[in-house]
């Protein structure tokens, strides 16, 4: 049977539901959510429907169906499980030129409801040729593809103007959140860092503007103020701008500065948290930053900070980012401040990459053992490092994911 797919704007319009069971309840809720003025005609209703009626969101006429109930209705759903009643509702609707959804009898209905999913401002409606299970399965597959960014989501006909600060995780694209991937699928502009998962850039459409603002150690070719201005300017052009960062935007990522710059400029901004390398890269090397009976807390610092005032107990883990160049002086400062030089220590380079390398030593010897370590790398200091051998099997083990 040929059908004409159509979306209905039912807000404020009277819709009749005849019946009070499971199908009628589900449909009444969906219609009410769409803003319809829902009237239910039934001698009895389900507990769920009774609750909605009690809240005043749905009107209940506690009796059997009458032909006059269709007066003023734009749409009717009949689902009484009594064939004679449902047939009468369908016949009355036909004579009044009111579209009728007929539960359990699609052949005699004049309207059908598809399987529906909503992802942001996209609505998916799937008809399965009369097979509700088939339609639901297709709907779920399409919704998942949209949620993960596997389908194109970019706006084509109207400007949006948005900056999204997206945490890309420690480098493995599989650790990028589904929300981050969805925003990348919507992006008109992607501004990325050196440590962001750059393999996802190959998935972008050819006309997406891609801008590299990556910083090298002690070398920032594009100052932060220019990056802030770039984000604001592109968003003011009505574009969706994704600022793709490594790790989490708020963990030494200057995400807070970019958020404030956007807000001060009146630009809509969204923050999407990412998996921070401070925890994830340690985990890739088999090192939990906390562990019952071994470590009760941890601190995350950069290698450029003074470390003398940090807790100097083995049961408090220290995770140091961006610190391999100062590793020797940092170790000396920690020991001078009271850290035991025999505290286990590790340097994990290029976490979650095929050439990940983990070097395990002690605080007193790690600078010598990891003298050739290169960024990006993190340093972990604390008793939890001793757990690495049990989970990775050897120094320099590859990532476990």
């Amino acid at each position: 049977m040929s059908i004409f797919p159509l979306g209905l704007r039912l807000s404020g319009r009277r819709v009749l539901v005849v019946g009070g069971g499971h199908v009628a309840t589900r449909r009444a809720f969906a219609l009410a959510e769409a803003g319809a003025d829902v009237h239910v005609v039934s001698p009895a209703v389900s507990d769920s429907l009774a609750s909605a009626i009690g809240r005043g969101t749905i009107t209940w006429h506690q009796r059997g169906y009458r032909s006059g109930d269709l007066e003023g209705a734009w749409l009717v759903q009949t689902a009484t499980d009594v064939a004679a009643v449902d047939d009468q509702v369908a016949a009355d609707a036909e004579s009044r030129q009111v579209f009728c959804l007929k539960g359990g009898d699609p052949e005699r209905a004049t309207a059908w409801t598809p399987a529906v999913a909503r992802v942001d401002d996209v609505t998916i409606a799937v008809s399965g040729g009369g097979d509700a299970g088939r339609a639901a399965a297709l709907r779920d597959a399409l919704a998942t593809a949209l949620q993960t960014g596997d389908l194109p989501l970019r706006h084509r006909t109207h400007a949006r103007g948005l900056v999204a600060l997206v945490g890309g995780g420690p480098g493995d694209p599989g650790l990028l959140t589904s929300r981050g991937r969805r925003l990348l699928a919507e992006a008109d502009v992607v501004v990325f860092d050196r440590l962001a998962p750059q393999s996802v850039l190959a998935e972008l459409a050819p006309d997406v503007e891609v801008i590299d603002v990556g910083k090298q150690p002690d070398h920032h070719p594009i100052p932060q103020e220019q990056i802030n201005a770039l984000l604001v300017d592109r968003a003011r052009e009505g574009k969706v701008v994704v600022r793709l960062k490594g790790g989490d935007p708020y963990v030494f990522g200057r995400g807070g500065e970019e958020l404030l710059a956007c807000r001060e400029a009146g630009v809509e901004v969204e923050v999407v948290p990412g998996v921070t390398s401070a925890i994830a890269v340690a985990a890739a090397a088999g090192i939990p930053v906390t562990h019952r009976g071994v470590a009760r807390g941890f601190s995350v610092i950069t290698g450029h900070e003074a470390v003398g005032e940090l807790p100097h107990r083995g049961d408090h883990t220290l995770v140091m980012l961006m610190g391999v160049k100062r590793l020797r002086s940092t170790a000396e400062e920690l020991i001078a401040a009271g850290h035991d030089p025999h505290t286990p220590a590790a340097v994990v380079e290029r976490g979650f990459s095929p050439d990940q390398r983990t070097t395990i030593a002690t605080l007193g010897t790690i600078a010598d053992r990891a003298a050739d370590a290169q960024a990006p790398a993190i340093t972990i200091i604390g008793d939890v490092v001793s757990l690495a051998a049990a989970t990775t099997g050897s120094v320099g083990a590859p990532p476990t994911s």
Side-chain angles (χ1 to χ4, degrees):
M1 182 182 296
S2 297
I3 62 172
F4 183 75
L6 186 69
L8 297 179
R9 184 169 290 163
L10 295 174
S11 182
R13 292 178 168 85
R14 183 185 179 96
V15 175
L16 182 66
V17 175
V18 182
H22 173 70
V23 173
T25 297
R26 188 176 59 190
R27 193 55 50 77
F29 285 163
L31 291 165
E33 186 179 355
D37 176 19
V38 180
H39 289 252
V40 173
V41 173
S42 180
V45 295
S46 68
D47 292 341
S48 297
L49 192 49
S51 296
I53 291 165
R55 293 192 299 270
T57 56
I58 293 172
T59 302
W60 182 24
H61 305 275
Q62 192 175 2
R63 54 172 173 77
Y65 168 74
R66 301 170 184 164
S67 294
D69 290 333
L70 283 170
E71 186 66 35
W74 292 68
L75 178 70
V76 60
Q77 165 76 62
T78 183
T80 67
D81 285 333
V82 179
V85 175
D86 289 337
D87 289 346
Q88 184 62 52
V89 174
D92 291 344
E94 182 75 20
S95 66
R96 291 174 177 267
Q97 298 181 352
V98 175
F99 283 105
C100 178
L101 299 156
K102 197 166 187 287
D105 189 8
E107 293 299 321
R108 299 189 63 188
T110 53
W112 298 263
T113 49
V116 175
R118 292 178 175 85
V119 178
D120 295 336
D121 59 349
V122 175
T123 298
I124 303 166
V126 180
S127 173
D131 186 334
R134 180 190 188 202
L138 285 168
R139 181 262 326 266
D140 293 343
L142 288 168
T144 299
L146 284 170
Q147 290 166 346
T148 56
D150 290 336
L151 293 178
L153 280 165
R154 290 175 65 196
H155 290 272
R156 304 291 179 175
T157 59
H158 63 277
R160 186 180 179 189
L162 167 72
V163 171
L165 308 178
V166 175
D172 184 339
L175 295 177
L176 181 62
T177 64
S178 60
R179 179 61 182 163
R181 280 195 170 273
R182 194 150 82 238
L183 285 163
L184 281 168
E186 291 187 56
D188 302 301
V189 182
V190 176
V191 181
F192 72 97
D193 276 348
R194 178 175 63 96
L195 298 180
Q198 296 185 23
S199 61
V200 300
L201 301 178
E203 303 171 6
L204 300 175
D207 59 338
V208 175
E209 184 181 12
V210 178
I211 305 172
D212 183 355
V213 295
K215 303 177 179 69
Q216 300 287 339
D218 302 320
H219 178 58
H220 300 172
I222 302 180
Q224 186 61 48
E225 293 75 15
Q226 289 186 24
I227 296 174
N228 296 348
L230 175 66
L231 300 178
V232 168
D233 290 345
R234 292 297 193 277
R236 281 177 168 169
E237 294 174 3
K239 296 178 179 179
V240 176
V241 184
V242 169
R243 175 72 167 102
L244 184 62
K245 297 169 167 290
D248 183 276
Y250 283 0
V251 181
F252 302 119
R254 298 197 176 183
E257 297 175 42
E258 293 167 355
L259 176 78
L260 291 174
C262 291
R263 284 182 173 172
E264 289 171 1
V267 169
E268 182 184 354
V269 60
E270 175 180 348
V271 179
V272 180
V275 179
T276 175
S277 58
I279 298 172
V281 171
I287 302 171
V289 294
T290 64
H291 189 83
R292 185 161 60 94
V294 180
R296 297 177 292 176
F298 66 97
S299 297
V300 180
I301 60 173
T302 72
H304 311 297
E305 299 179 17
V307 295
E309 297 181 1
L310 293 168
H312 48 68
R313 308 183 311 274
D315 65 352
H316 186 93
T317 307
L318 302 182
V319 182
M320 186 167 61
L321 307 181
M322 302 175 284
V324 290
K325 291 183 64 175
R326 294 192 70 253
L327 183 56
R328 186 175 301 279
S329 59
T330 298
E332 291 172 352
E333 289 176 36
L334 287 169
I335 292 170
H339 251 78
D340 185 345
H342 296 100
T343 302
V347 173
V348 186
E349 302 168 68
R350 301 176 295 278
F352 284 97
S353 70
D355 56 348
Q356 174 180 312
R357 183 175 73 160
T358 303
T359 303
I360 297 177
T362 66
L363 180 59
T365 62
I366 189 64
D368 290 330
R369 290 289 305 277
D372 62 344
Q374 299 291 320
I378 72 166
T379 303
I380 308 117
I381 301 165
D383 293 343
V384 290
V385 173
S386 63
L387 299 172
T391 52
T392 62
S394 64
V395 174
T400 56
S401 68

